């Protein structure tokens, strides 16, 4: 097996910017704001950046656009676009590039003004010949298929999906940055308007503006930045399909592959993880990922989340910022999982802090369960 540069690189800066509503800002400007905040967090400057990783929603040349906006000339850029897992793949490539000496400081950035500019979910850029005739609502209808199959095959219930939404809201109420902080009950989720059966409006992620960014460098340099470094211990990605109709099994995602390899690279197991940040575009997602990443057996995810297990005070803290369901979801959420993982391991998340957290997992999902990417971070003690 190829050797991942375990602990050889680290995140030294992390920031969010413009969460919720940011009228008047372009996606590029939001990404720039998050980037400057992350660099300031690390005690670094724009002139230090020689690796740039970015995937803006409407700009296929966003690596060039952000470089020009900043007036920098990076030695390496990456604009890989696989949806919400793009940023985990950026971190994997950045780690390899840093270890190889292709760059010294890597900036990973994202921004979107989806709420103020469009106010709706992203739709496909090209027709899907085998799905289009049925007029699905993208992307929710694809996730509804997975949810319905999970219910049929394993007896999962809408109440168990609601547990995911309620847990996310409880975490959001501890997070001043979160967009949705009103109380939410299981009964309210179950009574909410159906969007694509069996998923209701409260089973769906938010539509917000917002941006985030992280700064990575080699471990030797990381020790001289502002904060204690958060080391990247393992990372892996998997692609299984493009269209949902090509998915081999609607209840098994590529996380089963990406997670297995990420844990192998990190030399850890699910039991070693203190806090999880899982891409929760819909309530079915965390249930699938908890199963596929090895935190419970296949088919047991619904029962696993019952009783507030993943909520504040539960046995397994999941999506401690409120996730895409209650904190923010500006089109693609993957980078926000990484920011929250870093903040938790630095111990600076206030009321939602998971005490003693040393290992965090940040998982990204792209397309319609199409691309999965898993990162495992650790403090200095885990090296």
């Amino acid at each position: 097996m190829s050797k991942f540069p375990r602990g050889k690189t680290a995140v030294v800066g992390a920031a969010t910017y413009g969460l919720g509503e940011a009228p008047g800002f372009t996606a590029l400007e939001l990404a720039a704001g998050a980037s400057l905040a992350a660099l300031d967090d690390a005690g670094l400057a724009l002139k230090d950046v020689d690796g740039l990783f970015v995937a803006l929603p409407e700009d296929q040349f966003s690596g060039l656009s952000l470089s020009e906006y900043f007036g920098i000339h990076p030695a390496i850029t990456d604009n890989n676009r696989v949806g919400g897992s793009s940023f985990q793949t950026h971190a994997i490539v950045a780690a390899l590039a840093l270890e190889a000496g292709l760059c010294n400081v890597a900036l990973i950035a994202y921004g979107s003004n989806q709420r103020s500019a469009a106010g709706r979910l992203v739709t496909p850029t090209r027709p899907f010949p085998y799905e289009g005739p049925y007029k699905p609502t993208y992307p929710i209808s694809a996730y509804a298929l997975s949810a319905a199959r999970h219910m049929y095959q394993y007896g999962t219930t809408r109440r168990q999906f609601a547990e995911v939404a309620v847990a996310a809201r409880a975490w959001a109420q501890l997070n001043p940055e979160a967009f949705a902080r009103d109380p939410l009950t299981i009964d309210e989720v179950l009574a909410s308007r159906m969007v694509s059966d069996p998923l209701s409006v409260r089973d769906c992620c938010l539509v917000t503006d917002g941006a985030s960014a992280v700064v990575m460098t080699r471990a030797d340099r990381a020790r001289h930045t502002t904060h204690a470094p958060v080391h990247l211990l393992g990372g892996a990605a998997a692609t299984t399909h493009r269209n949902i109709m090509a998915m081999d099994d609607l209840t098994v995602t590529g996380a089963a592959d990406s997670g297995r390899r990420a844990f192998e690279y990190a030399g850890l197991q699910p039991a070693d993880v203190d806090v999880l940040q899982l891409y929760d575009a819909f309530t079915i997602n965390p249930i699938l990922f908890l199963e596929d990443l090895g935190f419970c057996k296949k088919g047991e995810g619904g029962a696993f989340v019952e009783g507030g297990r993943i909520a504040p005070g539960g046995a397994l803290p999941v999506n401690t910022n409120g996730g895409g369901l209650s904190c923010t979801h500006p089109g693609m959420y993957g980078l926000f999982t990484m920011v929250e993982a870093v903040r938790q391991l630095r111990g600076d998340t206030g009321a939602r802090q998971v005490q003693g957290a040393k290992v965090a997992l940040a998982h990204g999902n792209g397309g319609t369960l199409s691309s999965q990417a898993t990162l495992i971070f650790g403090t200095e003690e885990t090296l």
Side-chain angles (χ1 to χ4, degrees):
M1 177 180 288
S2 300
K3 188 175 181 181
F4 189 87
R6 184 190 191 278
K8 298 295 182 64
T9 64
V11 175
V12 294
T16 57
Y17 185 81
L19 300 193
E21 294 179 325
F25 285 87
T26 67
L28 178 68
E29 289 168 340
L30 289 168
S35 298
L36 293 173
L39 286 165
D40 183 66
D41 185 56
L44 296 171
L46 273 174
K47 63 180 178 58
D48 297 311
V49 176
D50 54 359
L52 181 62
F53 301 78
V54 58
L56 297 180
E58 81 293 348
D59 185 357
Q60 62 181 322
F61 297 113
S62 49
L64 304 181
S65 300
L66 192 57
S67 296
E68 180 181 80
Y69 185 88
F70 281 147
I72 60 175
H73 309 284
I76 184 171
T77 61
D78 189 338
N79 194 195
N80 183 41
R81 303 176 66 87
V82 288
S85 56
S86 299
F87 314 99
Q88 276 79 4
T89 70
H90 291 168
I92 293 167
V93 175
L96 297 173
L98 287 163
E99 176 66 5
L102 298 179
C103 62
N104 297 299
V105 174
L107 171 65
I108 305 173
Y110 174 71
S112 169
N113 60 351
Q114 186 180 57
R115 183 180 181 88
S116 59
R120 57 184 175 84
L121 292 173
V122 176
T123 57
T125 56
R126 62 180 179 83
F128 295 164
Y130 302 109
E131 300 173 16
Y134 298 95
K135 302 187 183 304
T137 300
Y138 285 110
I140 185 173
S141 292
Y143 288 87
L145 283 173
S146 178
R149 181 64 190 181
H150 206 279
M151 294 174 75
Y152 171 80
Q153 190 164 334
Y154 299 112
T156 311
T157 66
R158 286 195 61 224
R159 179 169 289 272
Q160 290 169 337
F161 294 153
E163 289 268 9
V164 175
V166 170
R169 184 61 59 87
W171 283 113
Q173 290 179 302
L174 302 176
N175 180 10
E177 284 190 333
F179 185 70
R181 302 184 67 201
D182 295 336
L184 183 66
T185 67
I186 288 177
D187 287 342
E188 286 172 337
V189 176
L190 295 175
S192 62
R193 175 175 56 86
M194 189 63 66
V195 180
S196 189
D197 195 2
L199 300 179
S200 75
V201 68
R202 292 291 171 256
D203 291 295
C204 301
C205 64
L206 302 170
V207 178
T208 69
D209 300 331
S212 56
V214 300
V215 179
M216 293 177 62
T217 189
R218 283 184 292 277
D220 55 352
R221 179 169 184 170
R223 294 185 177 91
H224 303 290
T225 54
T226 304
H227 299 281
V230 173
H231 295 269
L232 182 55
L233 305 179
T239 301
T240 52
H241 58 279
R242 170 62 175 95
N243 298 351
I244 195 70
M245 61 88 186
M247 190 173 181
D248 288 341
D249 183 333
L250 288 168
T251 69
V252 179
T253 75
D257 181 18
S258 67
R260 175 186 57 79
R261 287 185 284 120
F263 277 118
E264 287 180 0
Y265 294 145
L268 297 171
Q269 300 176 11
D272 298 312
V273 178
D274 299 305
V275 59
L276 281 78
Q277 312 301 335
L278 304 177
Y279 199 117
D280 58 341
F282 303 95
T283 52
I284 180 62
N285 292 46
I287 288 175
L288 292 174
F289 300 150
L290 285 165
E291 294 173 349
D292 292 341
L293 293 169
F295 290 88
C296 62
K297 293 180 180 179
K298 176 54 64 180
E300 296 182 1
F304 185 85
V305 302
E306 287 183 332
R309 184 188 292 242
I310 64 173
L316 186 64
V318 174
N319 293 344
T320 53
N321 61 346
L325 290 167
S326 283
C327 178
T328 189
H329 197 293
M332 295 192 283
Y333 177 70
L335 189 49
F336 296 89
T337 71
M338 295 160 57
V339 170
E340 181 66 8
V342 169
R343 287 174 167 174
Q344 283 286 343
L345 295 189
R346 293 200 320 202
D348 57 6
T349 56
R352 67 185 190 277
Q353 179 63 43
V354 177
Q355 297 302 318
K358 298 177 183 177
V359 176
L361 183 149
H363 182 78
N365 163 74
T368 51
L369 297 171
S370 314
S371 169
Q372 307 298 326
T374 311
L375 303 179
I376 299 173
F377 294 100
T379 63
E380 289 273 332
E381 298 173 64
T382 64
L383 297 181

PDB file of all heavy atoms in Angstrom, residues 229-248:
ATOM      1  N   PRO A 229      -0.261  23.086  16.020  1.00  0.00           N
ATOM      2  CA  PRO A 229      -0.679  22.509  14.733  1.00  0.00           C
ATOM      3  C   PRO A 229      -1.634  21.344  14.919  1.00  0.00           C
ATOM      4  O   PRO A 229      -1.574  20.609  15.906  1.00  0.00           O
ATOM      5  CB  PRO A 229       0.646  22.041  14.120  1.00  0.00           C
ATOM      6  CG  PRO A 229       1.566  21.842  15.281  1.00  0.00           C
ATOM      7  CD  PRO A 229       1.165  22.865  16.299  1.00  0.00           C
ATOM      8  N   VAL A 230      -2.533  21.193  13.934  1.00  0.00           N
ATOM      9  CA  VAL A 230      -3.436  20.041  13.874  1.00  0.00           C
ATOM     10  C   VAL A 230      -2.982  19.188  12.697  1.00  0.00           C
ATOM     11  O   VAL A 230      -3.101  19.585  11.542  1.00  0.00           O
ATOM     12  CB  VAL A 230      -4.898  20.486  13.710  1.00  0.00           C
ATOM     13  CG1 VAL A 230      -5.803  19.281  13.484  1.00  0.00           C
ATOM     14  CG2 VAL A 230      -5.356  21.271  14.942  1.00  0.00           C
ATOM     15  N   HIS A 231      -2.440  18.032  12.996  1.00  0.00           N
ATOM     16  CA  HIS A 231      -1.767  17.225  11.976  1.00  0.00           C
ATOM     17  C   HIS A 231      -2.746  16.376  11.174  1.00  0.00           C
ATOM     18  O   HIS A 231      -3.720  15.843  11.721  1.00  0.00           O
ATOM     19  CB  HIS A 231      -0.725  16.321  12.643  1.00  0.00           C
ATOM     20  CG  HIS A 231       0.396  17.076  13.285  1.00  0.00           C
ATOM     21  ND1 HIS A 231       1.552  17.392  12.618  1.00  0.00           N
ATOM     22  CD2 HIS A 231       0.513  17.607  14.530  1.00  0.00           C
ATOM     23  CE1 HIS A 231       2.350  18.071  13.425  1.00  0.00           C
ATOM     24  NE2 HIS A 231       1.740  18.213  14.588  1.00  0.00           N
ATOM     25  N   LEU A 232      -2.460  16.256   9.890  1.00  0.00           N
ATOM     26  CA  LEU A 232      -3.232  15.374   9.032  1.00  0.00           C
ATOM     27  C   LEU A 232      -2.601  13.986   9.105  1.00  0.00           C
ATOM     28  O   LEU A 232      -1.483  13.766   8.645  1.00  0.00           O
ATOM     29  CB  LEU A 232      -3.223  15.887   7.588  1.00  0.00           C
ATOM     30  CG  LEU A 232      -4.043  15.073   6.573  1.00  0.00           C
ATOM     31  CD1 LEU A 232      -5.477  14.911   7.027  1.00  0.00           C
ATOM     32  CD2 LEU A 232      -3.974  15.714   5.195  1.00  0.00           C
ATOM     33  N   LEU A 233      -3.338  13.062   9.702  1.00  0.00           N
ATOM     34  CA  LEU A 233      -2.814  11.719   9.952  1.00  0.00           C
ATOM     35  C   LEU A 233      -3.117  10.755   8.815  1.00  0.00           C
ATOM     36  O   LEU A 233      -2.365   9.796   8.586  1.00  0.00           O
ATOM     37  CB  LEU A 233      -3.394  11.161  11.252  1.00  0.00           C
ATOM     38  CG  LEU A 233      -3.197  12.022  12.510  1.00  0.00           C
ATOM     39  CD1 LEU A 233      -3.854  11.344  13.706  1.00  0.00           C
ATOM     40  CD2 LEU A 233      -1.715  12.260  12.771  1.00  0.00           C
ATOM     41  N   GLY A 234      -4.214  10.970   8.122  1.00  0.00           N
ATOM     42  CA  GLY A 234      -4.596  10.082   7.032  1.00  0.00           C
ATOM     43  C   GLY A 234      -5.676  10.711   6.188  1.00  0.00           C
ATOM     44  O   GLY A 234      -6.455  11.536   6.674  1.00  0.00           O
ATOM     45  N   GLY A 235      -5.719  10.327   4.932  1.00  0.00           N
ATOM     46  CA  GLY A 235      -6.749  10.849   4.044  1.00  0.00           C
ATOM     47  C   GLY A 235      -6.890   9.967   2.821  1.00  0.00           C
ATOM     48  O   GLY A 235      -5.899   9.451   2.297  1.00  0.00           O
ATOM     49  N   ALA A 236      -8.111   9.777   2.372  1.00  0.00           N
ATOM     50  CA  ALA A 236      -8.360   8.960   1.188  1.00  0.00           C
ATOM     51  C   ALA A 236      -9.690   9.359   0.578  1.00  0.00           C
ATOM     52  O   ALA A 236     -10.584   9.866   1.264  1.00  0.00           O
ATOM     53  CB  ALA A 236      -8.369   7.472   1.540  1.00  0.00           C
ATOM     54  N   ALA A 237      -9.821   9.133  -0.736  1.00  0.00           N
ATOM     55  CA  ALA A 237     -11.038   9.467  -1.464  1.00  0.00           C
ATOM     56  C   ALA A 237     -11.483   8.277  -2.301  1.00  0.00           C
ATOM     57  O   ALA A 237     -10.678   7.402  -2.637  1.00  0.00           O
ATOM     58  CB  ALA A 237     -10.811  10.690  -2.349  1.00  0.00           C
ATOM     59  N   ALA A 238     -12.767   8.255  -2.647  1.00  0.00           N
ATOM     60  CA  ALA A 238     -13.318   7.181  -3.469  1.00  0.00           C
ATOM     61  C   ALA A 238     -14.432   7.740  -4.346  1.00  0.00           C
ATOM     62  O   ALA A 238     -15.243   8.552  -3.885  1.00  0.00           O
ATOM     63  CB  ALA A 238     -13.857   6.051  -2.599  1.00  0.00           C
ATOM     64  N   THR A 239     -14.457   7.303  -5.590  1.00  0.00           N
ATOM     65  CA  THR A 239     -15.510   7.694  -6.524  1.00  0.00           C
ATOM     66  C   THR A 239     -16.241   6.443  -6.980  1.00  0.00           C
ATOM     67  O   THR A 239     -15.603   5.468  -7.398  1.00  0.00           O
ATOM     68  CB  THR A 239     -14.919   8.421  -7.743  1.00  0.00           C
ATOM     69  OG1 THR A 239     -14.210   9.586  -7.305  1.00  0.00           O
ATOM     70  CG2 THR A 239     -16.014   8.833  -8.718  1.00  0.00           C
ATOM     71  N   THR A 240     -17.575   6.465  -6.917  1.00  0.00           N
ATOM     72  CA  THR A 240     -18.343   5.266  -7.253  1.00  0.00           C
ATOM     73  C   THR A 240     -19.270   5.440  -8.452  1.00  0.00           C
ATOM     74  O   THR A 240     -19.614   4.460  -9.108  1.00  0.00           O
ATOM     75  CB  THR A 240     -19.174   4.807  -6.040  1.00  0.00           C
ATOM     76  OG1 THR A 240     -19.944   5.921  -5.551  1.00  0.00           O
ATOM     77  CG2 THR A 240     -18.271   4.302  -4.923  1.00  0.00           C
ATOM     78  N   HIS A 241     -19.716   6.657  -8.730  1.00  0.00           N
ATOM     79  CA  HIS A 241     -20.637   6.887  -9.831  1.00  0.00           C
ATOM     80  C   HIS A 241     -20.783   8.381 -10.054  1.00  0.00           C
ATOM     81  O   HIS A 241     -20.257   9.181  -9.277  1.00  0.00           O
ATOM     82  CB  HIS A 241     -22.013   6.271  -9.528  1.00  0.00           C
ATOM     83  CG  HIS A 241     -22.646   6.798  -8.266  1.00  0.00           C
ATOM     84  ND1 HIS A 241     -22.307   6.322  -7.014  1.00  0.00           N
ATOM     85  CD2 HIS A 241     -23.569   7.770  -8.063  1.00  0.00           C
ATOM     86  CE1 HIS A 241     -23.000   6.970  -6.094  1.00  0.00           C
ATOM     87  NE2 HIS A 241     -23.761   7.865  -6.707  1.00  0.00           N
ATOM     88  N   ARG A 242     -21.492   8.756 -11.099  1.00  0.00           N
ATOM     89  CA  ARG A 242     -21.878  10.153 -11.313  1.00  0.00           C
ATOM     90  C   ARG A 242     -23.368  10.327 -11.029  1.00  0.00           C
ATOM     91  O   ARG A 242     -23.771  11.124 -10.208  1.00  0.00           O
ATOM     92  CB  ARG A 242     -21.563  10.578 -12.757  1.00  0.00           C
ATOM     93  CG  ARG A 242     -22.135  11.948 -13.172  1.00  0.00           C
ATOM     94  CD  ARG A 242     -21.545  13.069 -12.324  1.00  0.00           C
ATOM     95  NE  ARG A 242     -21.988  14.369 -12.775  1.00  0.00           N
ATOM     96  CZ  ARG A 242     -23.030  15.045 -12.285  1.00  0.00           C
ATOM     97  NH1 ARG A 242     -23.753  14.515 -11.315  1.00  0.00           N
ATOM     98  NH2 ARG A 242     -23.361  16.225 -12.743  1.00  0.00           N
ATOM     99  N   ASN A 243     -24.197   9.558 -11.718  1.00  0.00           N
ATOM    100  CA  ASN A 243     -25.643   9.631 -11.553  1.00  0.00           C
ATOM    101  C   ASN A 243     -26.118   8.588 -10.547  1.00  0.00           C
ATOM    102  O   ASN A 243     -25.591   7.481 -10.503  1.00  0.00           O
ATOM    103  CB  ASN A 243     -26.357   9.388 -12.885  1.00  0.00           C
ATOM    104  CG  ASN A 243     -26.004  10.453 -13.917  1.00  0.00           C
ATOM    105  OD1 ASN A 243     -25.373  11.450 -13.596  1.00  0.00           O
ATOM    106  ND2 ASN A 243     -26.414  10.229 -15.147  1.00  0.00           N
ATOM    107  N   ILE A 244     -27.140   8.922  -9.781  1.00  0.00           N
ATOM    108  CA  ILE A 244     -27.627   8.020  -8.745  1.00  0.00           C
ATOM    109  C   ILE A 244     -28.091   6.695  -9.333  1.00  0.00           C
ATOM    110  O   ILE A 244     -27.983   5.640  -8.698  1.00  0.00           O
ATOM    111  CB  ILE A 244     -28.757   8.696  -7.925  1.00  0.00           C
ATOM    112  CG1 ILE A 244     -29.028   7.924  -6.630  1.00  0.00           C
ATOM    113  CG2 ILE A 244     -30.016   8.848  -8.751  1.00  0.00           C
ATOM    114  CD1 ILE A 244     -27.929   8.019  -5.603  1.00  0.00           C
ATOM    115  N   MET A 245     -28.571   6.694 -10.582  1.00  0.00           N
ATOM    116  CA  MET A 245     -29.056   5.447 -11.180  1.00  0.00           C
ATOM    117  C   MET A 245     -27.918   4.460 -11.424  1.00  0.00           C
ATOM    118  O   MET A 245     -28.153   3.266 -11.637  1.00  0.00           O
ATOM    119  CB  MET A 245     -29.802   5.734 -12.495  1.00  0.00           C
ATOM    120  CG  MET A 245     -28.986   6.382 -13.581  1.00  0.00           C
ATOM    121  SD  MET A 245     -28.140   5.199 -14.621  1.00  0.00           S
ATOM    122  CE  MET A 245     -27.144   6.306 -15.640  1.00  0.00           C
ATOM    123  N   ALA A 246     -26.676   4.934 -11.383  1.00  0.00           N
ATOM    124  CA  ALA A 246     -25.528   4.050 -11.576  1.00  0.00           C
ATOM    125  C   ALA A 246     -24.922   3.569 -10.268  1.00  0.00           C
ATOM    126  O   ALA A 246     -23.923   2.842 -10.276  1.00  0.00           O
ATOM    127  CB  ALA A 246     -24.460   4.768 -12.406  1.00  0.00           C
ATOM    128  N   MET A 247     -25.502   3.943  -9.135  1.00  0.00           N
ATOM    129  CA  MET A 247     -24.981   3.523  -7.834  1.00  0.00           C
ATOM    130  C   MET A 247     -25.265   2.037  -7.628  1.00  0.00           C
ATOM    131  O   MET A 247     -26.410   1.583  -7.780  1.00  0.00           O
ATOM    132  CB  MET A 247     -25.628   4.355  -6.725  1.00  0.00           C
ATOM    133  CG  MET A 247     -25.016   4.187  -5.355  1.00  0.00           C
ATOM    134  SD  MET A 247     -25.749   5.379  -4.189  1.00  0.00           S
ATOM    135  CE  MET A 247     -24.827   4.970  -2.680  1.00  0.00           C
ATOM    136  N   ASP A 248     -24.267   1.267  -7.306  1.00  0.00           N
ATOM    137  CA  ASP A 248     -24.413  -0.185  -7.180  1.00  0.00           C
ATOM    138  C   ASP A 248     -25.410  -0.579  -6.103  1.00  0.00           C
ATOM    139  O   ASP A 248     -26.212  -1.495  -6.280  1.00  0.00           O
ATOM    140  CB  ASP A 248     -23.059  -0.833  -6.878  1.00  0.00           C
ATOM    141  CG  ASP A 248     -22.126  -0.830  -8.077  1.00  0.00           C
ATOM    142  OD1 ASP A 248     -22.627  -0.661  -9.213  1.00  0.00           O
ATOM    143  OD2 ASP A 248     -20.910  -0.986  -7.877  1.00  0.00           O
TER     144      ASP A 248
END
